Amino acid sequence: MHQNIILTKKTKTANGTIQLTGSKSECNRALVIEALSNGKVKVENISDAADTVTLAGILKSKVESQKSKVLAGDKSEIKNPVSEINIGPAGTAMRFLTAYFAIQDDEVILTGSERMKQRPIGILVDALRQLSACIEYEEQDGFPPLRLKGGFTQLTNQINIKGNISSQYITALLLIAAKLPLGLELHIEGDLTSKPYVEMTLAMLQQAGIRHQWNGNVISIAHQEFATAVLPVEPDWSAASYWYAIAALADEADLFLPGLTQYSLQGDSVITEIMANFGITSQFKNGGVHLQKEVKPIFRRIFDLKECPDLAQTVIVVCAALGHEASFTGLETLKIKETDRVLALQNELAKIGVKLIEKGQVYKLDCSEKHIPEKVFINTYEDHRMAMAFAPLALLIPEMEIEDAKVVEKSYPAFWSDLEKVGFEVKAL
């Protein structure tokens, strides 16, 4: 049963300090590195996002199982029973664990929610099969659930993979590369979408002692051992983006987000540059970022979100709310996320009279019939980012009902309570 909420905000101001959870993107990578390092790498400031909690639990169980087998003097001829691992709606976990379990000895079935079974994974499976990984589809070809038999003999170190589908496929392969006996030479075909996420992965591997070479469209990682290291996880810039949206829609804003740094590994830190167009200044001082609102005209008309697709809903909703008829590119991956995010945006923006028009690979806002209703109901489509991207509209709309409030637990469990800290009223229905 979904728990809806009513969201209201009596004043158009936003002032306060918000301590954000650790970055889901950084943390999920760090947890896989920790699991592969045989105890050499430790992670600090683990995110409390549901996806990360799920991934951490699965990896911890696997690592403890390995330890117990070693202590018991496990016999290689004893075959473990096939275990089913359900990752629910955690897309990152599905991609990363597919690569992780492909190189383990145990046979597992990796499955998830009904929506997860609709999200393609064929490109990653094909790439792992190029290495000789033994992976079978349990239901529909190209989609979870997967049966991973593990323990394969690597026959090649060269993989070709499309770069414009999901950077998570590439990251999944890079995370396991150093453990492969022959290493990995990854040839990226075409444009690389979400490039900052790949750069984040390589930077974190480097912090854990794994060296790489990146020449043109080829990333190479030799077989090598992890070093002893601590990976500190920065607060989540994706979560910070909703506070930038709140500042952009407020008449006055003075917000402090501790722990965020100017030179972040996270690609979504580009929100500072994007929101500068809407009069939001970002000052890095006192161990965090200080946001303030300055009234200024908006001139920028085109936003390329190819390298930061998780910001798309946030930025598009802000533009729509302000009646700013911008165009957007780089949204190709949005249709295979938690929901078809393009369609979801079109449906919900229509409730304030705004159209998001698709022309090839360009999306344009038509705000000519924009209106602010007294009350609106926002469907979330089981997508955490839909709930959080539309929540700032409570600064403009007197009463907002948001479907399935718990959906935010996927990445930002404290979102509603944090809104209350700056004067939003959240009433459960």
Side-chain angles (χ1 to χ4, degrees):
M1 183 72 179
H2 288 170
Q3 175 75 67
N4 295 1
I5 59 165
I6 296 288
L7 191 63
T8 56
K9 182 78 165 74
K10 289 180 179 175
T11 64
K12 292 189 67 174
T13 60
N15 305 305
T17 296
I18 302 297
Q19 181 67 59
L20 300 172
T21 188
S23 162
K24 182 164 72 87
S25 298
E26 281 190 34
C27 204
N28 289 350
R29 286 160 172 77
L31 287 169
V32 176
I33 291 170
E34 181 182 54
L36 291 169
S37 74
N38 296 324
K40 291 183 177 179
V41 175
K42 300 297 179 187
V43 183
E44 285 185 350
N45 191 31
I46 292 178
S47 169
D48 59 4
D51 279 14
T52 300
V53 172
T54 297
L55 179 62
I58 292 167
L59 291 170
K60 182 180 179 183
S61 174
K62 173 60 180 170
V63 169
E64 288 177 351
S65 169
Q66 287 174 322
K67 285 180 182 175
S68 64
K69 284 200 291 186
V70 170
L71 291 173
D74 182 62
K75 307 297 182 188
S76 60
E77 66 268 16
I78 299 174
K79 189 70 175 172
N80 288 328
V82 178
S83 59
E84 181 172 294
I85 297 170
N86 191 322
I87 55 82
T92 309
M94 176 58 77
R95 277 78 179 260
F96 292 2
L97 289 175
T98 295
Y100 175 81
F101 280 110
I103 64 169
Q104 304 303 310
D105 291 331
D106 300 337
E107 183 173 343
V108 301
I109 294 173
L110 200 55
T111 188
S113 64
E114 284 307 307
R115 173 59 183 167
M116 187 56 58
K117 292 180 181 182
Q118 299 165 10
R119 297 181 68 178
I121 200 163
I123 287 174
L124 177 57
V125 170
D126 289 347
L128 288 164
R129 284 173 170 174
Q130 288 179 51
L131 295 173
S132 306
C134 187
I135 306 173
E136 297 171 359
Y137 296 110
E138 287 290 282
E139 295 177 12
Q140 183 181 356
D141 279 5
F143 299 85
L146 306 173
R147 182 182 290 266
L148 299 109
K149 298 192 176 177
F152 68 90
T153 301
Q154 185 183 3
L155 298 179
T156 180
N157 71 341
Q158 294 192 13
I159 289 181
N160 296 322
I161 190 166
K162 291 179 181 176
N164 64 346
I165 307 297
S166 173
S167 64
Q168 289 181 8
Y169 298 153
I170 293 168
T171 282
L173 295 164
L174 294 175
L175 288 171
I176 65 167
K179 300 291 284 188
L180 295 169
L182 305 178
L184 182 65
E185 191 175 286
L186 194 60
H187 294 252
I188 300 168
E189 298 176 346
D191 289 340
L192 174 58
T193 192
S194 306
K195 184 179 179 182
Y197 286 98
V198 175
E199 292 172 335
M200 176 199 294
T201 303
L202 292 170
M204 294 182 75
L205 283 168
Q206 197 157 321
Q207 289 172 14
I210 301 302
R211 300 173 304 281
H212 72 274
Q213 291 185 318
W214 190 344
N215 298 313
N217 67 334
V218 180
I219 304 174
S220 302
I221 296 179
H223 173 71
Q224 56 197 291
E225 294 299 318
F226 286 89
T228 301
V230 174
L231 297 182
V233 176
E234 186 185 8
D236 192 1
W237 271 105
S238 305
S241 74
Y242 307 114
W243 294 97
Y244 275 87
I246 287 166
L249 298 186
D251 289 343
E252 295 177 21
D254 192 343
L255 296 163
F256 182 63
L257 308 177
L260 291 170
T261 62
Q262 189 166 7
Y263 303 103
S264 172
L265 293 178
Q266 298 172 57
D268 284 353
S269 62
V270 74
I271 194 68
T272 60
E273 298 169 28
I274 293 172
M275 287 297 175
N277 293 284
F278 303 96
I280 310 304
T281 61
S282 302
Q283 287 185 296
F284 291 89
K285 60 183 183 181
N286 303 322
V289 63
H290 193 149
L291 317 187
Q292 285 187 305
K293 171 75 177 281
E294 296 177 355
V295 178
K296 63 177 283 188
I298 308 167
F299 294 111
R300 185 169 170 184
R301 290 285 172 185
I302 299 175
F303 294 87
D304 183 0
L305 304 175
K306 181 174 77 171
E307 296 192 342
C308 53
D310 282 347
L311 299 181
Q313 288 141 296
T314 309
V315 177
I316 290 170
V317 171
V318 166
C319 287
L322 296 174
H324 183 59
E325 295 191 333
S327 295
F328 308 91
T329 58
L331 307 188
E332 291 77 24
T333 62
L334 262 61
K335 294 184 179 184
I336 60 166
K337 297 283 188 176
E338 282 77 350
T339 186
D340 180 339
R341 287 178 169 169
V342 171
L343 181 59
L345 280 166
Q346 289 169 330
N347 291 343
E348 301 314 299
L349 290 175
K351 295 173 181 177
I352 60 169
V354 176
K355 296 175 183 173
L356 180 62
I357 300 166
E358 181 177 356
K359 290 187 177 179
Q361 294 188 327
V362 179
Y363 296 79
K364 188 178 189 309
L365 284 176
D366 177 354
C367 302
S368 60
E369 298 179 20
K370 186 197 118 181
H371 62 276
I372 300 298
E374 284 297 306
K375 181 177 180 179
V376 72
F377 175 82
I378 298 297
N379 293 94
T380 56
Y381 307 86
E382 299 182 356
D383 184 352
H384 54 133
R385 300 207 187 280
M386 285 298 292
M388 293 185 285
F390 277 86
L393 291 184
L395 285 156
L396 308 178
I397 298 170
E399 185 176 319
M400 288 185 62
E401 182 176 346
I402 297 180
E403 175 196 33
D404 191 14
K406 289 188 175 181
V407 75
V408 303
E409 292 176 1
K410 182 176 174 70
S411 64
Y412 189 172
F415 181 67
W416 304 119
S417 58
D418 281 351
L419 287 185
E420 290 179 314
K421 291 175 185 175
V422 299
F424 286 81
E425 292 181 17
V426 182
K427 179 184 175 184
L429 293 177

